[in-house]
Amino acid sequence: MKHTLLIVPGLGDSTAGHWQDNWLQHFPNATKVVQDNWNQPQLEDWLKNLDATINSIETPIVIVAHSLAVSLVMHWSQQNNTSKIVGALLVAPADVESPEHTPEEIWNFAPIPLDQLKYPSIVITSANDPYISAKRAEFLAQKWGSDFYNVGLKGHLNLASQLGFWEEGQQILENLLEKITKNQK
């Protein structure tokens, strides 16, 4: 299957050294959503940029979202035709509804939509993510109809987690791609 890996970073962008940036450089079929304001995100602005990027892609899309971008993707999927999306890797969702877990500048992404997705997806969290409890991440995965992976004590699965090319994440992505292929037969 010829597809595009759409890298969707969260708050602050996924810059050099972050596994999302490494994947963007590593996979020739990867592209990235670029936001106008990475540090003071506004849901409506971010939705417009995500939608414009999706509409500019000709091939089927596999979304690779991190942190705040998971809520962004959920809002977009609830409001738009998702027929171009064949799957999503939803990594380290930030609990935008929890003042104890997330900063105020991302609360405008609440509430997190709980509708079941119309495409295969996998939610990945870690046992000690400061931006969401593993129990809450698993609850979201169940609501969305997503497979769920808890990868242990690895923080927010971001630059500070020092994941490099995050081979474990690539294997989980491969699992998703296999599921997509089976669904298309």
Side-chain angles (χ1 to χ4, degrees), residues 5 19 23 26-27 62 64 88-91 121-124 147-149 151 154 163-180 182:
L5 272 184
W19 64 267
W23 286 17
H26 178 73
F27 293 109
V62 176
V64 179
L89 199 63
L90 306 169
V91 180
S121 59
I122 295 175
V123 171
I124 304 173
D147 292 340
F148 179 72
Y149 287 77
V151 295
K154 295 186 179 161
L163 299 172
F165 281 93
W166 195 30
E167 289 80 3
E168 179 182 32
Q170 288 183 47
Q171 182 56 57
I172 296 170
L173 174 63
E174 192 60 41
N175 296 346
L176 176 62
L177 295 174
E178 288 172 12
K179 187 174 189 174
I180 292 166
K182 285 180 188 172

Side-chain angles (χ1 to χ4, degrees), residues 67-68 70-72 74-75 78 93-98 102 106-115 131-132 136 139-140 143-144:
S67 190
L68 179 60
V70 174
S71 290
L72 173 68
M74 297 314 297
H75 283 285
Q78 187 179 51
D95 191 354
V96 297
E97 297 175 18
S98 172
T102 55
I106 66 171
W107 295 348
N108 72 92
F109 283 66
I112 301 170
L114 298 177
D115 298 358
Y131 299 108
I132 194 167
R136 175 78 169 150
F139 166 81
L140 294 173
K143 288 293 186 182
W144 299 333

Side-chain angles (χ1 to χ4, degrees), residues 73-84:
V73 167
M74 297 314 297
H75 283 285
W76 182 88
S77 294
Q78 187 179 51
Q79 299 170 17
N80 293 278
N81 177 343
T82 61
S83 61
K84 287 175 102 171

